[in-house]
Amino acid sequence: MLRNDNNVQAILDNLIDTFYRTDAEGRCVLVTPSIQELLGYSVEEMSGKKIASLYVYPELRADLLEQMKHNGGQIRNFEAQLKHKQGHPVWVSVNIQFYYDEQGKYAGVEGLVRDISDSKKVEARLTASEHNYRSIINNMTDTYYRTDLDGVLTMVSPSLPRLLGYDADAVIGTRLEDFYYQEGERDRFLAALNERGGRYIGYEVQLKHYDGR
């Protein structure tokens, strides 16, 4: 239980994240002033409000409580969308736990809510960028590949079968040097690449085809 003194109240009033507490029926009985910036509601407007009504998908609230029952009465970093007072969704991450009264009876839940909208926007841009990147790679006529520092293939474009007859997925995890026709050619290529500052256009080499050509 939180102590009702000036020090605790000062901490709550100055939280950037939003602390809240509900009763056993899921109604808000305590919330910090930061709720105004997070969802547009005043502390007074939140009093008695059903927390489930703030979820874009209210069924997630029930799922969350069920998960808590099987996780020691708490959940960390649960991500969900809440509804802003103006109607738009807000992505949040929630740390939440059950709390009990002095007799040990279930009294409700309390948690800390953090706005993760900005990180979700970055994540969406990265996903879109990755999709565009994959689309380009998958439609290349030439063959694109990538290795780790040990020369092990970590990525190959789908055009590989047309070039060498190998299935692109099957060669992942194999060493690139195994595909060079002449022994030591991989080392000579890397030496030439290093001499040119890490970029070489037009290096000619013979590679082994799947059927032995």
Side-chain angles (χ1 to χ4, degrees), residues 97-164:
Q97 64 184 16
F98 292 141
Y99 80 93
Y100 304 86
D101 61 22
E102 294 178 353
Q103 286 73 46
K105 181 181 178 181
Y106 170 70
V109 301
E110 58 186 12
L112 201 61
V113 184
R114 173 168 294 180
D115 188 343
I116 58 170
S117 299
D118 288 343
S119 63
K120 281 294 183 179
K121 290 176 183 177
V122 172
E123 182 179 311
R125 287 197 293 269
L126 289 175
T127 299
S129 178
E130 175 68 15
H131 175 76
N132 291 335
Y133 170 72
R134 287 287 179 180
S135 179
I136 292 171
I137 294 298
N138 289 341
N139 288 284
M140 290 178 67
T141 303
D142 294 336
T143 298
Y144 174 89
Y145 72 91
R146 180 184 293 167
T147 73
D148 61 17
L149 293 175
D150 295 320
V152 175
L153 285 162
T154 59
M155 180 179 178
V156 181
S157 62
S159 56
L160 180 67
R162 293 195 300 270
L163 178 68
L164 296 178

Side-chain angles (χ1 to χ4, degrees), residues 10-155:
I11 292 172
L12 292 177
D13 288 345
N14 288 282
L15 277 176
I16 297 175
D17 295 337
T18 298
F19 176 86
Y20 76 98
R21 178 180 284 174
T22 75
D23 60 17
E25 283 71 44
R27 294 184 293 262
C28 183
V29 295
L30 174 66
V31 68
T32 53
S34 54
I35 188 66
Q36 183 95 45
E37 184 173 352
L38 179 67
L39 296 180
Y41 293 98
S42 67
V43 171
E44 291 73 24
E45 288 175 312
M46 285 294 299
S47 180
K49 194 174 188 66
K50 281 277 192 178
I51 294 298
S53 69
L54 296 175
Y55 281 73
V56 171
Y57 304 103
E59 62 273 15
L60 282 182
R61 166 75 175 174
D63 291 343
L64 174 59
L65 295 177
E66 189 63 28
Q67 288 183 42
M68 292 172 66
K69 293 177 182 178
H70 301 286
N71 197 55
Q74 62 180 4
I75 290 290
R76 295 287 178 264
N77 302 316
F78 181 85
E79 295 185 0
Q81 287 179 296
L82 301 182
K83 291 183 288 189
H84 194 276
K85 184 178 180 180
Q86 295 180 352
H88 61 270
V90 178
W91 273 105
V92 299
S93 175
V94 182
N95 291 337
I96 187 172
Q97 64 184 16
F98 292 141
Y99 80 93
Y100 304 86
D101 61 22
E102 294 178 353
Q103 286 73 46
K105 181 181 178 181
Y106 170 70
V109 301
E110 58 186 12
L112 201 61
V113 184
R114 173 168 294 180
D115 188 343
I116 58 170
S117 299
D118 288 343
S119 63
K120 281 294 183 179
K121 290 176 183 177
V122 172
E123 182 179 311
R125 287 197 293 269
L126 289 175
T127 299
S129 178
E130 175 68 15
H131 175 76
N132 291 335
Y133 170 72
R134 287 287 179 180
S135 179
I136 292 171
I137 294 298
N138 289 341
N139 288 284
M140 290 178 67
T141 303
D142 294 336
T143 298
Y144 174 89
Y145 72 91
R146 180 184 293 167
T147 73
D148 61 17
L149 293 175
D150 295 320
V152 175
L153 285 162
T154 59
M155 180 179 178

